[in-house]
Amino acid sequence: EDRLDEAVDQTRQTVIVDPERTAEWGLEYLEGHLLERLARDDESPASFADAMTATPLLSSFARYRLALNRYRSGHPEEAAGLLATLLANDPPSSLAPTATRWLILAIQNGGDCSLLDNRQSWPLDQASSRQLQTAVLDCTLAAGKTAEALALMRSLLDDDHTDDAARRAAQGLATLAPESLDLPTTLLIGQAFFHQRWFDEASSFQRMVTEPAKNGRNSEGHRAQPDDQP
């Protein structure tokens, strides 16, 4: 620990006497990292904030570390704002998935849902984009917009039934709208559960597809009416 304290002091001295080298080497980012290792979390934010402007190549990483500091310090709303800005500005591919997960967590714990309004313009891969859709889903349900949330669940499940977003969508549809499911959606729910190795739940939904008459549904998933009968 003494050596880390010494490294912080040396780094700070270099920052003062040689700002050009500081920017070139990313010393303010290093300072923030050292302060984190020393658990001096009240000091590291200033270093990361300085690094965001002083060293453009490290700007995304400094913003990310600052966001984690704000979240862990009990300010998820600040963390969410920092992470949304990071994801909207061409983040490094190595950083985007982790930043996405932290943004979702920050929003779940008090971040502003409106930060996601422009998410479709963010340069993210499909996996990260679908993860963000689950945060949108939570926000939509929290706002009492059940019909809109169900439509989003169906869209997520239609696009891919194998990932965690599909699991969330399948669970939501099975819980919130079991009586309004058409047979294709019922099949996708069963496939999503099977992919998660939830075999009992998968079998239940597969039976609804293979035995539609027994369940009183036509091919669109509606309750049979006299006109539906042969």
Side-chain angles (χ1 to χ4, degrees), residues 23 32 49 61 69 93 161:
F61 296 95
N69 174 278
S93 58
H161 66 271

Side-chain angles (χ1 to χ4, degrees), residues 150 153-154 157 166-181 185-186 189-190 193 198 201 204-205 208:
L150 290 172
M153 293 176 198
R154 290 189 176 93
L157 204 53
R167 176 191 63 78
R168 289 285 312 282
Q171 285 180 297
L173 287 167
T175 302
L176 296 174
E179 296 300 315
S180 63
L181 299 176
T185 302
T186 302
I189 292 173
F193 286 160
W198 297 351
E201 293 85 349
S204 176
F205 280 88
M208 294 182 190

Side-chain angles (χ1 to χ4, degrees), residues 117-182:
D117 289 350
N118 296 319
R119 70 191 181 282
Q120 293 179 338
S121 67
W122 297 356
L124 302 177
D125 61 24
Q126 183 179 10
S128 295
S129 295
R130 282 178 62 82
Q131 285 186 48
L132 283 182
Q133 292 274 62
T134 65
V136 174
L137 180 57
D138 289 337
C139 289
T140 305
L141 287 170
K145 301 176 181 178
T146 304
E148 186 177 332
L150 290 172
L152 178 55
M153 293 176 198
R154 290 189 176 93
S155 176
L156 285 169
L157 204 53
D158 283 342
D159 290 342
D160 186 350
H161 66 271
T162 64
D163 61 5
D164 189 65
R167 176 191 63 78
R168 289 285 312 282
Q171 285 180 297
L173 287 167
T175 302
L176 296 174
E179 296 300 315
S180 63
L181 299 176
D182 56 28

